[in-house]
Amino acid sequence: MVMVLTRFPVNIQTVPYIVPPNTQIYYPRVVGLPDPYVQEKINRAIVTQVRQLINEQANVQIEGNTEMYGFYEIKTNERDVLSLTQSNYAYT
């Protein structure tokens, strides 16, 4: 008997981080992995990067007058590879 393992894409949920009136950031969360440790490690890395992007933007903007938008794009999600980009855009 030959067993073929099919590697399915990772399930991704979009998480909103919204601070009215001027901040709207959407970032990915990995869900449903068979190894909860790996899933948590990936999600922690994503959140760390989101916070880093927010802090970098906040350090150079005028407080109270800035609008900030964040989003992500999945580049690859197949054969045990997840690649994505996260971006933040802010203007005063």
Side-chain angles (χ1 to χ4, degrees), residues 58-70:
N59 287 337
V60 296
Q61 300 298 321
I62 298 170
E63 188 174 329
N65 293 326
T66 300
E67 293 190 25
M68 187 180 305
Y69 300 97

Side-chain angles (χ1 to χ4, degrees), residues 6-40:
T6 304
R7 296 179 178 156
F8 296 102
V10 173
N11 292 319
I12 302 289
Q13 290 180 341
T14 298
V15 178
Y17 173 77
I18 298 174
V19 180
N22 299 331
T23 301
Q24 296 179 13
I25 296 173
Y26 299 91
Y27 63 92
R29 177 186 299 147
V30 174
V31 295
L33 287 184
D35 187 335
Y37 173 76
V38 171
Q39 180 174 299
E40 181 61 28

Side-chain angles (χ1 to χ4, degrees), residues 16-83:
Y17 173 77
I18 298 174
V19 180
N22 299 331
T23 301
Q24 296 179 13
I25 296 173
Y26 299 91
Y27 63 92
R29 177 186 299 147
V30 174
V31 295
L33 287 184
D35 187 335
Y37 173 76
V38 171
Q39 180 174 299
E40 181 61 28
K41 191 170 181 175
I42 292 169
N43 287 329
R44 262 192 258 131
I46 291 169
V47 169
T48 297
Q49 187 178 47
V50 169
R51 288 180 183 152
Q52 181 181 3
L53 290 169
I54 291 170
N55 290 337
E56 287 175 11
Q57 290 291 335
N59 287 337
V60 296
Q61 300 298 321
I62 298 170
E63 188 174 329
N65 293 326
T66 300
E67 293 190 25
M68 187 180 305
Y69 300 97
F71 55 93
Y72 69 94
E73 183 178 349
I74 297 173
K75 300 294 186 177
T76 300
N77 186 3
E78 61 186 354
R79 295 179 286 181
D80 292 338
V81 175
L82 174 63
S83 173

